Amino acid sequence: MLISGVALAINSRDAMPRGGTLGVETDCVQVEAAPPDRPEALPPGPYAVLRVMDTGVGMDAATLARIFEPFFTTKEPGKGTGLGLSMVHGVVRQHGGAIQVRSVVGGGATFEIYLPQVATPVEPARIAETAGREIAGRETILLAEDEDEVRALTREVLERQGYRVLEASDGLEALRRYEAEGDRIDLVLSDVVMPRMSGRELVDRVRAIRPDMRVLYMSGYTEDAIVRHGVRDASTVLLGKPFAPADLLAKIREVLDRVR
């Protein structure tokens, strides 16, 4: 819920370019039956609710109907890929929850995440272990991602598991960071399609200096689009967007632990 809350807060911030008020609330509710105004039916039972409210520009009905679609965005070209909210939606649904959104043009927006409560105590999640292998780490990762929400979420997930993250908003900035700290970097985690310099161009430049650099690509594009950007071959390791935090961590460790 923390990661989803961060994404919604970033979304609210972007909806208030001239300032405003951001509110965050938590609640516990008992769902008896799916209300007719809820877009996704929830089974009856107790739920924890995270509510994120803003006084931003708001959304019309046509926008509300599409906000969780991958790649749908109302931002200017180059300002967003439309994956932040689709990732939140996917993670929440994977955990048996739902999102309710209320908004009007000029009247701000309210997002509510519903997640089912558990009736019995739960042992602390062992996020750093899967299939007998640690997925936490202390390595340094160069993160190249042009979508602000995705970059913020990815950094949060990695740093919570002990990784040191150097972030860049595009391939050119990532290359400059590599040139400054190359010897300390253990893995390049890069989006495929970025402005100024693509993920493939970035990796080619890095591997011209350090051929054994470990690389993990991220992309929400189709297989054909990835091939057109020249990154799909037998050696490519690709993580599809949107992805769950556990999938990201497992794939990072898979690439780092490979025998060179």
Side-chain angles (χ1 to χ4, degrees):
M1 186 179 282
L2 172 62
I3 302 301
S4 297
V6 171
L8 293 181
I10 292 173
N11 190 69
S12 291
R13 177 204 64 189
D14 293 342
M16 300 184 290
R18 289 183 292 276
T21 301
L22 170 65
V24 179
E25 297 177 352
T26 57
D27 199 358
C28 292
V29 300
Q30 179 72 30
V31 174
E32 302 298 342
D37 63 342
R38 181 164 295 140
E40 296 173 319
L42 288 172
Y47 288 82
V49 181
L50 174 64
R51 190 173 296 113
V52 179
M53 306 158 288
D54 66 65
T55 57
V57 296
M59 294 171 281
D60 58 22
T63 301
L64 281 172
R66 300 188 61 193
I67 56 173
F68 297 121
E69 292 181 12
F71 306 113
F72 174 74
T73 179
T74 58
K75 297 178 182 178
E76 299 175 7
K79 296 295 185 180
T81 60
L83 289 172
L85 289 178
S86 69
M87 288 180 64
V88 172
H89 182 268
V91 170
V92 171
R93 294 298 291 169
Q94 286 175 6
H95 289 81
I99 304 180
Q100 179 177 353
V101 188
R102 299 188 301 275
S103 183
V104 294
V105 176
T110 298
F111 287 78
E112 291 180 324
I113 295 178
Y114 288 76
L115 291 175
Q117 296 184 38
V118 293
T120 57
V122 177
E123 295 182 4
R126 301 183 66 181
I127 300 176
E129 181 178 327
T130 181
R133 186 179 70 247
E134 291 295 318
I135 60 173
R138 295 293 181 267
E139 291 91 345
T140 296
I141 295 173
L142 176 59
L143 168 62
E145 167 60 62
D146 62 305
E147 174 65 26
D148 291 344
E149 293 96 333
V150 178
R151 190 171 67 253
L153 289 169
T154 303
R155 177 171 185 166
E156 173 78 11
V157 169
L158 294 173
E159 289 185 337
R160 284 173 64 86
Q161 291 301 307
Y163 292 101
R164 176 174 177 251
V165 179
L166 307 175
E167 63 177 304
S169 60
D170 58 45
L172 187 58
E173 183 184 353
L175 181 61
R176 291 169 179 162
R177 299 217 66 173
Y178 176 79
E179 290 170 344
E181 299 199 47
D183 291 342
R184 301 191 194 94
I185 295 172
D186 299 289
L187 178 142
V188 173
L189 174 61
S190 177
D191 191 14
V192 173
V193 182
M194 295 182 290
R196 299 204 296 171
M197 180 181 289
S198 71
R200 174 58 188 270
E201 292 175 291
L202 166 64
V203 170
D204 285 347
R205 296 283 292 273
V206 168
R207 283 183 167 165
I209 304 169
R210 186 172 161 189
D212 65 345
M213 174 59 72
R214 299 180 188 278
V215 175
L216 173 59
Y217 287 108
M218 306 178 289
S219 182
Y221 285 85
T222 63
E223 184 82 7
D224 288 344
I226 293 168
V227 170
R228 286 198 299 272
H229 283 83
V231 301
R232 201 62 165 137
D233 56 43
S235 64
T236 300
V237 183
L238 179 70
L239 180 64
K241 299 179 185 175
F243 49 77
D247 294 333
L248 169 66
L249 293 169
K251 189 64 72 172
I252 287 284
R253 281 265 47 104
E254 175 188 326
V255 176
L256 284 171
D257 294 340
R258 281 185 174 181
V259 176
R260 294 182 186 275

